[in-house]
């Protein structure tokens, strides 16, 4: 792979005849303004990161998380770009390319979660499980839906994925000017494709990070191919995807601990206890996490802050992020050749001093937060909401756009779905077979559900069930 093509500024809709204007922004800087001006981006302010429908102003939403990933991604891009310039000057990498990758990563951070449904990652699980239960029993014109759809179509729903939905949303569903969505640059689109494989090529146990999940739907395969052929990435991960993933991991794994501390799931003493084994095995690491935590508490005590333990944890998170940025930078630059050859199978933290630490943070969040009774109760309620919405919406779309008359309620439910999404369905279903149209109508449901905020999903559920 070559940076010259990887950083392609091409868009699906070009304006070759447009006169040169006074706009001095690069194509990637223009992407930024397209994103932050979109309704889809604004909706992230009311989507769950960890704690659904939380009333605290401190706890992170998908919007604040995305802003943090954007900032960290840009910082990593600057660090890594400078390193490439300094040590790989012969590669054709230029100072302008350094600026470009920083802007691309800044934008990618903003949209990396834009396709996620309400209620966080549990929302994805609830949708996948709904399809697993219902595809075998749904009937369309006397036949089970599972018998009508191809295996690839069924696997798309059984492995439903917010990452694939993000690509779909920004390329098709954000219908502002035309059917090309936000019409973002191909370099940016390729960067957000974390898993460049279809639903039938997922290999969770292969040891290759790019095969862990689905990266695009069958319905969006043409877009995927056009983008990856233009950038030259093909079936490989785009190099900037590794950096985006590192920024995402760094952001949410440190933020989950901070939010969990504020919510009372984790105490200062808990963090001390968890860090003790890591301190003993730190070896030559320049960052001693437990020592740093103690130093910050002592500094808080000397300064007379009201809560030295809270002061220590929050400042420890900041120090930790700085350390992990250096680890990710080292991970990319030390595996530069294999990344550019498409042969790198691991994330950027693998083999660095930060690997065990970032794994511990994820494990702590799982044990102390995601396995807590409070979260379980929330997830049971969220599952009830999503199941009920999926039941009514799928029933309504089954015979939409067919020669079979819908009943009155189904027609009303169809009217709830955004015209943008229905326009996308009409454009993409023209001339298709009955099976393909059925597949696209089921995608119409997931498109609508993924466009919902937490509050809207809850309110629509209440309204549909007469709980007003």
């Amino acid at each position: 792979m070559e940076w010259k093509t990887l950083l392609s500024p091409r868009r699906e809709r070009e304006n070759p005849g447009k006169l040169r204007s006074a706009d001095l922004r690069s194509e990637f800087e223009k992407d930024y303004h397209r994103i932050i001006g979109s309704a889809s981006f604004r909706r992230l302010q009311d989507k769950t990161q960890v704690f659904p429908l939380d009333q605290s102003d401190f706890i992170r939403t998908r919007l604040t998380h995305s802003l943090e990933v954007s900032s960290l991604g840009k910082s990593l891009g600057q660090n890594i770009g400078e390193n490439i310039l300094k040590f790989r000057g012969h590669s054709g990498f230029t100072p302008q390319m350094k600026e470009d990758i920083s802007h691309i990563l800044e934008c990618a951070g903003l949209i990396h979660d834009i396709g996620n449904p309400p209620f966080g990652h549990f929302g994805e699980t609830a949708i996948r499980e709904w399809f697993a239960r219902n595809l075998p029993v749904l009937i369309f014109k006397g036949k089970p839906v599972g018998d009508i759809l191809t295996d690839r179509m069924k696997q798309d729903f059984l492995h439903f994925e917010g990452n694939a939905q993000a690509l779909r949303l920004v390329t098709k569903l954000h219908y502002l000017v035309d059917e090309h969505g936000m019409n973002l640059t191909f370099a940016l689109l390729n960067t957000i494709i974390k898993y460049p494989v279809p639903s039938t090529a997922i290999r969770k146990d292969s040891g290759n990070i790019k095969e862990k999940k689905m990266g695009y739907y069958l319905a969006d395969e043409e877009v995927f191919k056009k983008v990856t052929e233009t950038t030259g990435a093909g079936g490989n991960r785009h190099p900037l995807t590794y950096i985006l993933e590192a920024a995402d991991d760094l952001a949410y794994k440190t933020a989950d601990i901070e939010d969990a501390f504020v919510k009372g799931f984790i105490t200062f003493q808990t963090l001390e206890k968890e860090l003790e084994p890591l301190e003993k095995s730190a070896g030559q690491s320049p960052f001693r996490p437990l020592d740093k935590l103690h130093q910050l508490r002592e500094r808080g005590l000397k300064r007379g802050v009201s809560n030295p333990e809270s002061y220590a944890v929050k400042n420890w998170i900041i120090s930790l992020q700085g350390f992990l940025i250096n680890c990710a930078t080292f991970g990319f630059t030390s595996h530069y050749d294999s990344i550019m050859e498409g042969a790198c199978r691991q994330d950027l933290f693998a083999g660095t001093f930060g690997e065990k630490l970032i794994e511990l943070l994820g494990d702590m969040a799982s044990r102390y937060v995601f396995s807590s009774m409070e979260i379980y109760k929330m997830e049971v309620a969220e599952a009830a909401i999503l199941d009920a919405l999926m039941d009514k919406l799928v029933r309504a779309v089954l015979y939409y756009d067919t020669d079979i008359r819908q009943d009155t309620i189904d027609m009303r439910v169809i009217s709830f779905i955004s015209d943008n999404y229905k326009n996308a369905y009409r454009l993409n279903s023209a001339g298709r077979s009955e099976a393909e149209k059925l597949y696209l109508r089921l995608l119409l449901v997931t498109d609508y559900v993924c466009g919902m905020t937490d509050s809207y999903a809850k309110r629509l559920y209440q309204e549909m069930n007469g709980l007003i």
Side-chain angles (χ1 to χ4, degrees):
M1 292 182 281
E2 300 289 338
W3 286 112
K4 186 175 181 180
T5 53
L6 287 168
L7 303 182
S8 172
R10 179 182 166 184
R11 305 178 189 276
E12 184 64 30
R13 174 178 22 87
E14 301 280 11
N15 294 307
K18 189 176 180 180
L19 294 175
R20 181 176 177 82
S21 71
D23 190 345
L24 300 180
R25 295 174 300 168
S26 72
E27 291 302 313
F28 308 118
E29 289 173 296
K30 292 175 185 176
D31 280 344
Y32 181 89
H33 294 280
R34 291 175 187 228
I35 293 164
I36 63 170
S38 70
S40 300
F41 178 68
R42 292 195 296 276
R43 288 191 191 103
L44 294 174
Q45 67 188 309
D46 188 18
K47 285 194 174 186
T48 293
Q49 178 60 20
V50 176
F51 300 98
L53 303 172
D54 195 272
Q55 300 302 308
S56 169
D57 290 335
F58 177 86
I59 301 302
R60 290 165 172 85
T61 64
R62 282 283 175 193
L63 178 62
T64 48
H65 166 70
S66 297
L67 291 170
E68 290 174 339
V69 175
S70 175
S71 176
L72 290 167
K74 183 176 183 179
S75 296
L76 279 168
Q78 290 170 331
N79 283 9
I80 291 169
E82 187 60 33
N83 187 283
I84 298 172
L85 280 174
K86 187 174 181 179
F87 297 106
R88 297 181 181 272
H90 62 281
S91 67
F93 192 83
T94 66
Q96 182 58 54
M97 289 177 175
K98 173 191 167 183
E99 294 299 313
D100 288 344
I101 67 171
S102 295
H103 290 306
I104 293 167
L105 288 163
E106 183 177 31
C107 293
L110 295 179
I111 60 173
H112 79 286
D113 275 349
I114 205 166
N116 281 45
F119 309 127
H121 287 297
F122 180 76
E124 293 175 286
T125 300
I127 291 171
R128 283 193 289 266
E129 292 182 352
W130 188 94
F131 280 113
R133 290 193 306 272
N134 287 279
L135 280 181
V137 297
L138 275 174
I139 301 297
F140 177 74
K141 293 186 177 181
K143 295 181 181 179
V145 168
D147 291 346
I148 299 170
L149 302 179
T150 66
D151 183 57
R152 171 81 180 275
M153 293 172 181
K154 287 185 287 188
Q155 294 304 318
D156 278 5
F157 296 117
L158 296 175
H159 294 94
F160 169 81
E161 179 62 43
N163 288 289
Q165 189 68 26
L167 178 67
R168 179 168 175 77
L169 190 154
V170 299
T171 58
K172 291 182 178 177
L173 304 182
H174 182 82
Y175 197 101
L176 184 63
V177 176
D178 57 23
E179 70 274 18
H180 301 310
M182 292 185 189
N183 198 37
L184 302 173
T185 58
F186 284 7
L188 174 55
L189 293 177
N190 206 163
T191 298
I192 66 168
I193 301 172
K194 291 177 69 174
Y195 311 101
V197 296
S199 57
T200 50
I202 297 170
R203 305 287 184 269
K204 292 185 178 181
D205 299 325
S206 71
N208 193 333
I209 196 168
K210 76 172 188 177
E211 298 173 344
K212 282 175 58 178
K213 298 178 182 179
M214 168 179 70
Y216 58 94
Y217 298 114
L218 172 62
D220 306 316
E221 188 167 44
E222 186 179 335
V223 171
F224 169 81
K225 288 181 177 178
K226 186 175 291 187
V227 167
T228 55
E229 286 171 5
T230 301
T231 63
N236 301 314
R237 262 193 165 191
H238 192 289
L240 298 189
T241 306
Y242 290 92
I243 306 175
L244 172 63
E245 183 176 54
D248 187 20
D249 287 347
L250 199 166
Y252 85 79
K253 288 187 177 180
T254 55
D256 285 358
I257 298 302
E258 185 176 15
D259 286 355
F261 177 80
V262 170
K263 293 283 288 184
F265 286 87
I266 293 173
T267 66
F268 181 88
Q269 289 71 31
T270 302
L271 188 55
E272 278 185 309
K273 180 182 175 182
E274 293 285 346
L275 290 174
E276 280 177 5
L278 203 61
E279 193 78 7
K280 295 173 183 177
S281 62
Q284 300 299 313
S285 174
F287 185 77
R288 318 292 291 197
L290 185 57
D291 280 353
K292 187 65 176 179
L293 186 66
H294 288 156
Q295 289 170 16
L296 289 166
R297 182 176 57 179
E298 288 302 313
R299 192 169 78 183
L301 287 167
K302 289 179 181 178
R303 293 186 175 184
V305 299
S306 59
N307 189 334
E309 292 183 348
S310 176
Y311 171 90
V313 171
K314 291 176 182 178
N315 280 279
W316 181 80
I317 292 291
I318 295 170
S319 298
L320 176 60
Q321 287 179 340
F323 167 66
L324 291 174
I325 285 174
N326 289 334
C327 290
T329 301
F330 175 79
F332 189 94
T333 53
S334 61
H335 294 94
Y336 181 85
D337 290 334
S338 64
I339 288 172
M340 297 301 290
E341 291 166 4
C344 187
R345 299 165 62 88
Q346 297 176 302
D347 65 47
L348 298 189
F349 294 108
T352 71
F353 287 128
E355 181 179 16
K356 290 183 179 179
L357 182 52
I358 205 162
E359 286 177 356
L360 174 64
L361 299 180
D363 183 55
M364 285 179 63
S366 176
R367 286 185 284 114
Y368 291 101
V369 182
F370 300 119
S371 300
S372 68
M373 189 63 66
E374 181 178 337
I375 294 296
Y376 281 169
K377 287 179 178 178
M378 289 180 180
E379 289 176 346
V380 169
E382 293 157 9
I385 292 171
L386 288 173
D387 283 354
L389 292 177
M390 292 291 293
D391 286 343
K392 284 185 166 59
L393 288 164
V394 170
R395 174 187 163 174
V397 303
L398 273 180
Y399 293 102
Y400 171 65
D401 190 37
T402 69
D403 54 3
I404 296 179
R405 180 179 173 79
Q406 292 181 283
D407 67 29
T408 304
I409 295 302
D410 288 344
M411 290 172 65
R412 299 287 188 274
V413 172
I414 285 291
S415 73
F416 299 162
I417 299 177
S418 165
D419 287 339
N420 283 357
Y421 301 160
K422 286 186 282 194
N423 286 337
Y425 164 77
R426 292 190 196 99
L427 283 167
N428 289 284
S429 64
R432 301 286 185 175
S433 68
E434 188 167 77
E436 289 171 322
K437 286 185 176 181
L438 178 57
Y439 164 74
L440 290 171
R441 288 199 297 277
L442 293 176
L443 274 182
L444 179 59
V445 172
T446 54
D447 290 342
Y448 180 41
V449 171
C450 288
M452 295 179 185
T453 63
D454 290 15
S455 296
Y456 179 82
K458 181 181 179 182
R459 186 169 67 251
L460 184 61
Y461 165 80
Q462 291 171 333
E463 291 169 350
M464 281 184 163
N465 289 277
L467 304 174
I468 301 173

